[in-house]
């Protein structure tokens, strides 16, 4: 028991093993009245309710209590009126849940509101009129209207008393479903000529302490002799009516007869002395006695009705009977789903069985609705898991992937077994939050970019693009260049990249004769807490411009003397006199000669042989270029005067060869063999050494 010393109100606590906390309070407690300390009753430390985001969730649309999350105290939110909350239902119980998050947890709370004697009995008719014939036999009974008392139990209507008179006494009777009512019992014969009217006061008293009461003034008008009163065919009529019956549906037909003649035989039916709820629900045809529905029936509200029927003849004599109506329950209420809490957004890496939402299901047709089932309307990565009684939790059943589905509208279906089968649908929206589980992905497996030599520094040459399927910072891509491997060119001296958009720029002017192509690696990194990355290879090809004049390699020139070549006297037409060899700087040409001792001269040791030499040189004749192209390969050449030159293939001057014995290094960094024409004297002595067998 918890006592609120501040206002003198008492609240009673009872906790069951099914995690339901029960309190009891009296009605009319003022707003702010202390009920109990929920944190203490749940076994939680002070401050835990606030730390775990505690809140109250009502099964209805209104909360009658408020929770102080720092202290755990439960207070009355507004003044409680049991009659307004529950009517005549007893006990009056208010339901709500205490929901905690982090982790998600709920506790059911029931607060029973006890009645206090705050309503007095009231008669709807303050001056009822009874017309009673003077010939009415002793012991005849006359039902009176019931007093209405909104309180229940001992505080409700308990008894009736009648003021002193010599003609009647009062007899209190009980209805099967409804308030007590009183009957006047005739003790002394009436004589209209002696006393045409009898006046009395009836008092209705409740059982409160102190008791409350209400009064009505009864006026009895004594009628002249009418020998016979109407007689009903039955004292009690019984009927069963389904709760979904339409207005105007026939409930029962009552029949009464009168042995008198003339107007005294004519019978009129009425619903006399019935509570207001019966008058709003039923009606009777005054001539036929047909009792029909006037308003809707609801088995969940009222299961039986006790209707008083009065038959009155033309002379004013009346008789009474009852119609007991049993409302038949039908399955007309689908199950109701109440969602108390939802965790959204939900991280996409949430483990299986993570609680997503808490909800409860109620079926008002519990007797005929049968078993309730709850399931998801679609195949989603979630499942419904029962917790206790009619409470359930929605949990993850499979892995989540935000990149595939960023959110779910989860339709909960609650269905009874009928008949007929009824169901309701409730949609829970759950958003999926992103985690960094996807690396950036380049649009291409590799990139090939071109730049023409003699370009301006900082010129834009192209861009790379990588996309990340994640969201927000996890999808923000930053680009960078990876440092080259040991011994490779420093890519940072040639290329720069915009870290935001992947645009690539050439930092220096390119020289095709120095470098024809190079490659580097670009790295794309996302902005996640644990960042992910990917790499792609970019190959840059330098395009050639015609920016170098051709150089004549043979015949050798000394700048002063003309070149002389010897021709045998026996030379015939078409004899090859000489060959003029020129090269543009895609190339270095080595001329191999056969000296007079016919010794072979080989110069292959330091030259590349893994690339193709352009086959675009032509032979020259006396009247111009020879029409047939001459192929050239890298090797020494020997033979007759018709032998071909052999050309070396191209190489990259920026990568010098190791120094070797007998080699001469040119200004461009290339190396020539020691006996090449360039290393010889440029005088005429060089020409004297050329034999008839030359190249």
């Amino acid at each position: 028991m918890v006592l609120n010393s501040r206002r003198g109100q008492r609240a009673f606590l009872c906790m069951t093993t099914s995690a339901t906390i029960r309190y009891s309070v009296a009605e009319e407690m003022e707003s702010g009245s202390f009920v109990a300390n929920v944190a203490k009753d749940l076994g939680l430390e002070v401050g835990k309710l606030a730390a775990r985001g505690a809140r109250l969730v009502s099964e209805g649309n209104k909360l009658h209590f408020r929770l102080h999350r720092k202290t755990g105290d439960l207070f009355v939110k507004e003044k409680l009126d049991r009659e307004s909350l529950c009517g005549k239902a007893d006990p009056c119980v208010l339901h709500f849940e205490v929901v905690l998050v982090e982790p998600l947890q709920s506790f059911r709370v029931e607060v029973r509101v006890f009645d206090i004697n705050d309503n007095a009995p009231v008669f709807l008719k303050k001056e009822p009129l009874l017309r009673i014939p003077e010939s009415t036999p002793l012991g005849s009974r006359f039902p009176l209207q019931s007093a209405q008392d909104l309180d229940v139990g001992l505080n409700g209507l308990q008894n009736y008393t009648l003021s002193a008179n010599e003609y009647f006494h009062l007899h209190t009777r009980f209805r099967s479903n409804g308030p007590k009512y009183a009957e006047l019992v005739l003790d002394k014969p009436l004589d209209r000529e002696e006393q045409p009217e009898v006046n009395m006061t009836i008092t209705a008293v409740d059982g409160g302490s102190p008791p409350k009461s209400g009064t009505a003034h009864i006026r009895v008008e004594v009628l002249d002799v009418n020998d016979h009163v109407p007689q009903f065919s039955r004292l009690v009529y019984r009927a069963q009516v389904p709760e979904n019956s339409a207005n105007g549906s026939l409930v029962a037909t009552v029949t009464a007869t009168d042995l008198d003649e003339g107007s005294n035989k004519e019978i009129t039916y009425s619903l006399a002395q019935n509570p207001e709820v019966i008058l709003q629900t039923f009606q009777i045809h005054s001539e036929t006695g047909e009792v029909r529905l006037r308003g809707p029936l609801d088995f969940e509200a009222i299961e039986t009705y006790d209707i008083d029927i009065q038959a009155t003849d033309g002379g004013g004599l009346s008789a009474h009977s009852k119609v007991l109506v049993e409302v038949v329950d039908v399955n007309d209420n689908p199950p109701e789903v109440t969602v108390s809490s939802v965790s959204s957004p939900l991280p996409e890496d949430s483990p299986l069985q993570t609680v997503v939402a808490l909800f409860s299901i109620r079926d008002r047709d519990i007797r005929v609705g049968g078993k309730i089932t709850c399931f998801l309307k679609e195949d989603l990565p979630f499942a419904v898991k029962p917790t206790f009684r009619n409470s359930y939790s929605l949990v993850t059943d499979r892995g989540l992937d935000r990149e595939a589905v960023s959110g779910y509208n989860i339709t909960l279906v609650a269905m009874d077994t009928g008949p007929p089968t009824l169901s309701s649908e409730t949609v829970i929206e759950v958003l999926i939050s992103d985690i960094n589980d996807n690396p950036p992905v380049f649009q291409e497996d590799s990139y090939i970019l071109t730049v023409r030599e003699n370009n301006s520094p900082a010129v834009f040459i192209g861009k790379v693009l990588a996309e990340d399927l994640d969201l927000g910072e996890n999808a923000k891509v930053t680009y960078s260049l990876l440092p080259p491997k040991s011994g490779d060119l420093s890519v940072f001296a040639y290329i720069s990249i915009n870290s935001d958009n992947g645009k690539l720029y050439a930092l220096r002017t390119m020289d095709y004769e120095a470098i024809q192509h190079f490659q580097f690696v670009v790295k794309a990194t996302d902005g996640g807490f644990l960042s992910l990355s990917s790499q792609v290879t970019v190959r840059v090809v330098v395009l050639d411009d015609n920016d170098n004049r051709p150089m004549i390699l043979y015949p050798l020139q000394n700048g002063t003397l003309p070149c002389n070549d010897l021709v045998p006297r026996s030379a015939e037409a078409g004899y090859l006199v000489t060959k003029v060899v020129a090269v543009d700087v895609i190339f270095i040409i080595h001329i191999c000669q056969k000296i007079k001792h016919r010794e072979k001269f080989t110069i292959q040791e330091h030259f590349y042989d893994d690339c193709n030499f352009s086959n675009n040189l032509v032979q020259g004749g006396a009247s111009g270029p020879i029409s047939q192209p001459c192929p050239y390969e890298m090797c020494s050449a020997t033979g007759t005067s018709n032998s071909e030159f052999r050309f070396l293939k191209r190489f990259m001057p920026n990568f010098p060869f190791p120094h070797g014995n007998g080699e001469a290094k040119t200004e461009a960094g290339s190396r020539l063999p020691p006996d090449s024409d360039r290393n010889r004297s440029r005088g005429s002595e060089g020409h004297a050494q050329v034999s008839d067998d030359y190249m």
Side-chain angles (χ1 to χ4, degrees), residues 551-577:
M551 178 177 64
I552 297 176
L553 299 183
Y554 186 85
L556 296 178
Q557 303 291 311
N558 61 9
T560 57
L561 297 177
C563 297
N564 296 318
D565 277 302
L566 301 178
V567 179
R569 292 180 179 275
S570 60
E572 299 177 356
Y575 178 85
L576 179 62
V577 177

Side-chain angles (χ1 to χ4, degrees), residues 432-446:
I432 308 301
S433 60
D434 184 51
I435 64 167
N436 193 25
D437 58 349
N438 289 280
V441 177
F442 284 96
Q443 289 186 340
E444 305 289 341
D445 293 335
S446 62

Side-chain angles (χ1 to χ4, degrees), residues 32-266:
S33 297
F34 175 78
V35 178
N37 187 282
V38 175
K40 180 179 178 182
D41 298 334
L42 293 178
L44 298 175
E45 297 177 4
V46 176
K48 282 293 186 180
L49 292 180
R52 295 182 62 183
R55 59 189 178 92
L56 303 183
V57 179
S58 173
E59 289 187 357
N61 297 325
K62 189 174 183 180
L63 271 174
H64 302 283
F65 302 91
R66 59 184 177 86
L67 177 65
H68 195 290
R69 295 194 292 183
K70 291 185 178 180
T71 63
D73 292 337
L74 184 67
F75 299 94
V76 175
K77 186 177 181 181
E78 60 185 12
K79 190 175 182 179
L80 299 177
D81 184 6
R82 192 207 64 79
E83 289 74 29
S84 298
L85 295 173
C86 301
K88 298 293 288 185
D90 190 26
C92 177
V93 180
L94 303 179
H95 302 271
F96 61 93
E97 291 184 26
V98 178
V99 178
L100 307 178
V101 297
E102 297 179 359
L104 198 59
Q105 192 176 11
S106 68
F107 300 89
R108 295 179 63 88
V109 181
E110 296 180 357
V111 179
R112 180 175 180 178
V113 182
F114 282 105
D115 183 54
I116 64 173
N117 191 26
D118 58 342
N119 294 281
V122 176
F123 289 95
L124 298 181
K125 291 184 179 180
K126 296 297 183 181
E127 294 185 359
L129 173 64
L130 296 178
R131 292 184 174 90
I132 302 177
E134 61 180 344
S135 61
T136 300
L138 299 179
S140 296
R141 297 173 180 267
F142 302 92
L144 302 176
Q145 65 169 331
S146 299
Q148 306 296 315
D149 192 338
L150 297 180
D151 293 324
V152 296
L154 291 177
N155 295 326
L157 177 63
Q158 299 297 319
N159 199 11
Y160 294 92
T161 61
L162 188 65
S163 61
N165 70 91
E166 60 180 319
Y167 290 98
F168 299 93
H169 77 270
L170 200 63
H171 179 71
T172 302
R173 303 196 64 176
F174 298 85
R175 285 189 173 93
S176 60
N177 183 24
K180 298 177 181 179
Y181 69 99
E183 292 179 339
L184 287 178
V185 182
L186 185 61
D187 293 330
K188 180 182 176 179
L190 298 172
D191 188 351
R192 185 178 181 278
E193 289 70 29
E194 180 181 343
Q195 186 174 346
E197 188 173 289
V198 179
N199 293 283
M200 299 163 287
T201 299
I202 183 173
T203 302
V205 183
D206 65 20
S209 178
K212 295 180 180 293
S213 62
T215 61
H217 181 71
I218 302 175
R219 185 165 63 92
V220 177
E221 181 180 344
V222 182
L223 302 177
D224 201 7
V225 175
N226 183 9
D227 295 333
H228 297 90
V229 298
Q231 297 290 325
F232 280 97
S233 61
R234 298 180 187 175
L235 293 178
V236 178
Y237 296 84
R238 298 182 183 274
Q240 291 184 333
V241 184
E243 64 172 327
N244 60 349
S245 299
N247 289 349
S249 298
L250 180 64
V251 177
T253 301
V254 298
T255 304
T257 58
D258 194 305
L259 297 179
D260 290 323
E261 296 295 334
S263 62
N264 291 332
K265 189 177 182 179
E266 295 177 358

Side-chain angles (χ1 to χ4, degrees), residues 431-464:
L431 301 179
I432 308 301
S433 60
D434 184 51
I435 64 167
N436 193 25
D437 58 349
N438 289 280
V441 177
F442 284 96
Q443 289 186 340
E444 305 289 341
D445 293 335
S446 62
Y447 292 83
I448 298 179
L449 308 178
T450 60
V451 59
R452 189 165 294 279
E453 67 171 333
N454 302 319
N455 60 284
S456 300
V459 67
F460 171 73
I461 63 173
K463 68 178 295 185
V464 296

